[in-house]
Amino acid sequence: MVNKIDFSEVYRMYYKRLFHISFSITRDLHLAEDVVQETFIKAMKKVETIEEEKKMGAWLSVIATRTAIDYVRSERKKPATLMEEDMLECLGKEMMQNVEEEVELASFQEQVNAAIATLTTEYQAVLNLKLLHGLKEYEIASILDIKPSTVKTRIYRARKQLKLLFLKQLTA
């Protein structure tokens, strides 16, 4: 049972991961920040329910995911507000710039995913848990029932293979 947890340290360690999870669900920076804050409030209220401190990251990730889904559902139920015409034009210009960046990012993400798919299942598993879920090496080791050093080695080797794949594509 966890006796005393320094929430400022927990906040510093997990804020970035929880923000990424929240943003991936809400697709809104401000809403994602709200979700992270709400996640920490919920965690502080229920901190006595966590049995192992090393599972804190996974526990917070689940809270953040569920909170973000709840926020998205509640946002859908809110009535829409009409905007001024000049505000819409300004947003339209901004959106065009963001769309180009998003298309480039999506294209790059597809290339990375395709490259990851060429790796062995061992390497795919550790990379997906690390990159998509933002888990730490010891969490991945716990999930896959392997040693943390094995996780680090597989991540290193997988990244090395990906780097070689991309270098071959650039020179081809």
Side-chain angles (χ1 to χ4, degrees), residues 59-116:
W59 182 63
L60 289 170
S61 297
V62 169
I63 294 172
T65 301
R66 291 178 179 164
T67 303
I69 290 169
D70 291 344
Y71 268 68
V72 169
R73 286 180 182 152
S74 69
E75 287 294 311
R76 283 187 194 149
K77 293 177 183 175
K78 289 183 181 177
T81 310
L82 295 176
M83 290 184 165
E84 298 289 330
E85 194 171 317
D86 57 337
M87 179 75 129
L88 288 172
E89 286 178 27
C90 179
L91 283 174
K93 290 176 187 172
E94 204 174 290
M95 289 298 288
M96 288 305 289
Q97 293 169 349
N98 290 343
V99 168
E100 290 173 6
E101 290 172 9
E102 284 186 36
V103 168
E104 288 177 14
L105 185 62
S107 173
F108 179 69
Q109 187 66 41
E110 285 178 25
Q111 290 175 337
V112 170
N113 289 339
I116 289 173

Side-chain angles (χ1 to χ4, degrees), residues 96-152:
M96 288 305 289
Q97 293 169 349
N98 290 343
V99 168
E100 290 173 6
E101 290 172 9
E102 284 186 36
V103 168
E104 288 177 14
L105 185 62
S107 173
F108 179 69
Q109 187 66 41
E110 285 178 25
Q111 290 175 337
V112 170
N113 289 339
I116 289 173
T118 65
L119 300 175
T120 65
T121 55
E122 291 175 336
Y123 293 164
Q124 286 180 30
V126 293
L127 279 182
N128 284 331
L129 290 170
K130 179 79 173 168
L131 300 176
L132 298 178
H133 299 288
L135 298 179
K136 298 194 183 294
E137 282 85 5
Y138 69 88
E139 293 171 322
I140 296 169
S142 174
I143 290 170
L144 297 177
D145 197 29
I146 56 178
K147 294 179 183 175
S149 58
T150 305
V151 172
K152 287 181 183 181

